[in-house]
Amino acid sequence: MLISTRDLRKSYDLGSVEVHALRGITMEIGAGEYLAIMGPSGSGKSTLMHILGCLDSPSSGSYVLNGSEVAGLQSRELARVRNKQIGFVFQNFNLLPRIDLISNVSLPLVYHGSMSKTDRTRKASEQLERLGLGHRLKHRPNELSGGERQRAAIARALVNEPSILLADEPTGNLDQKTGREIMSILDELHSGGRTVVLVTHDANVADHANRTIRIEDGAVAEDKSNGGPR
Amino acid sequence: MNILESIAGGLSSIWSHKLRSSLTLFGIVVGVASVVAMFSFVGGIGDRIMEDFELLGYDNVFFVGSRPPDNPDNLASLRVSKGLTLEDTEILRKEVPEIEWLTPAVDSYVVGRAGSEARRFSAFGATPDGFPLLKLEIGEGRPLTWTDVENHTRVVVLGQLIKEDLFGDANAVGKDMLLDGQSFRVVGVLRMKDFSQMFGNSGQEENHERVYIPVTTSMHYMTGSKRIDYLAIRIRDDADIGAAYDKIHDTLLQEHRQVEDFQIENVAAQIAEAIQGVEQIISTWNTILSSIATVALLVGGIGLLSVLIISVNERLREIGIRKAVGAEDRAIFRQFIVESVTISVVGGLVGVALGAGLCGLITFAATQMGQDIVVPVSMTGAALGMSFAVAVGFLFGLYPALKASKLDPIEAMSRYA
Ligand SMILES: Nc1ncnc2c1ncn2[C@@H]1O[C@H](COP(=O)(O)OP(=O)(O)OP(=O)(O)O)[C@@H](O)[C@H]1O
Ligand SMILES: [Mg+2]
């Protein structure tokens, strides 16, 4: 298994109350799977995605990625996983506001190793062009529409060609047409052999995936196969 | 990411947070500027004092005068020694290689007359070596020459003040004048040097309130004696003052057949002592200033620390994002440390510039108040200020940088929200 979790829990101690965002998630995701995660707002989808993306650590439970226990990884190894193995599309994009799209998309390349600045710029602009942002290279995130930001965030997630793409509501901020465009990109990535996990509230979007997990109140409520993308 | 990119990143971050950066810079700029200004001021005054000592021309100088021998009972001894004579000059020149300049001196008080003006002043009989020895500068005409000495010609070089008294603004060189009734030709006029005036003219007037004639002329026309009044000696800069003193003493004693009828006034040692005193004072001041500077820069450093901590908190989201896309801890650490060192280097440079400006201002103000003080920018101060600034930037950047680098990506982002 590419990903396997056992009894993942995450709780936040807010002084007076304790918030349980995840209450024991056990699941497995195989390499090359196309998985949709659904569930009501506040059910813990983003929290789960962050943990899967090695961006956050669970309060308890085990997460094994590619055969190694993530909790046991050094911070350097974690950084390498985030940089090379996993592309993460945040629900709120998380682009850096003060720099233009090229610089934003170049960021994973900056931390990738010894790539020259010209190579980074070239690679980032190619990725942006592939996502239809060739005319926005020098724009800053706040000069873009929501759909453009969404695509920039995807471009950044993909620029290092990771084998796993984790996308938190990649179509949540988009109109139907743009949403379909994004989904066709994800479909393409999946058919190219990547493992794609996305969070969505939209059943039509979830239908693109070949498996859907429903999360409710921090636990898996349903796990069903869709019988492949349409 | 290479170091140049990190610095460029640091600079652009400084630029995009102008207010925050200028607040940080302020402490360091003030610290460094005050270091530079204070060091320069003290250094400038010290240099000027030293320069005065040098202009005065008595460093490395001995005067050898006559005196009664230690045991005057031994009257025979008076007869075996001829006292100080021109021969002593020759012997010393031969025997003591430490001597750079040496002149016999015969001083006589004369009445000088030029046209209707008459004054009483001293006529200093010397050789051409007396001019470099006393660091006298010729303003017009020429100094005395060896030919003048050989031929005991009646030529005279005037001190600037005497020239002004006797000739006013008129040209003196080439004119004739009377010294004790004898006709002398004026061949040169001295020029007074540019002293700081900080301690008056430091005795330079003395050199300009007299006239200079060949020593032989003086002996021939004024004193009529084979004796000279004293010897003035300047030893080489690199020579050991004590050793030179001993050699001069021993040579003269032998020449005078063991009769100690001379005494050596060790002006060099006195001046050296005075210079040492000044150096002592300056070094004390520099210590005091260094302490003040350290405090100033520490205060600036604490300002930097607090701004950097604020900056870390303000930028938790950026840190989270960078870590989320694969930045290692040390990359974040480097970003912050480079940023803080860049801030402090910029602050240091601005501080040095400001300090240099202050030096200019002090010079200007001093000039306005009629003081001829130049405050050159102290390189020590600038170097010290700069290295302090860099050290402060590094030390105070360390904690925030470490703090920033240790955060989990989501932890960092959610703390920001
Ligand atoms: N940093 C935090 N501190 C405290 N509580 C948190 C924190 N992050 C998330 N939570 C809580 O954890 C629960 C799950 O949040 P999460 O963001 O995972 O929900 P979600 O399923 O992604 O919701 P949505 O569909 O609205 O994006 C929520 O109740 C949220 O309030
Ligand atoms: Mg969410």
Side-chain angles (χ1 to χ4, degrees), chain A residues 55 57 75 83 94 111 120, chain B residues 5 322 325 329 408 410 413:
Chain A
L55 304 175
S57 30
S75 71
N83 186 243
N94 275 336
Y111 298 117
R120 297 200 305 249
Chain B
E5 276 184 69
R322 286 180 183 273
V325 299
D329 295 3
D408 254 353
I410 293 298
M413 289 185 211

Side-chain angles (χ1 to χ4, degrees), chain B residues 373-389:
Chain B
I373 300 173
V374 177
V375 179
V377 179
S378 157
M379 285 300 131
T380 319
L384 203 74
M386 269 321 276
S387 27
F388 259 111

Side-chain angles (χ1 to χ4, degrees), chain A residues 12 14 19 21 39-48 91 169 201, chain B residues 414:
Chain A
Y12 298 98
L14 299 181
V19 178
S41 184
S43 57
K45 306 180 295 294
S46 295
T47 307
L48 176 61
Q91 188 170 3
E169 298 199 31
H201 286 286
Chain B
S414 57

Side-chain angles (χ1 to χ4, degrees), chain A residues 79-95:
Chain A
R80 196 164 312 142
V81 169
R82 291 176 200 132
N83 186 243
K84 299 191 169 66
Q85 236 178 310
I86 300 174
F88 200 100
V89 183
F90 288 93
Q91 188 170 3
N92 56 351
F93 316 134
N94 275 336
L95 298 165

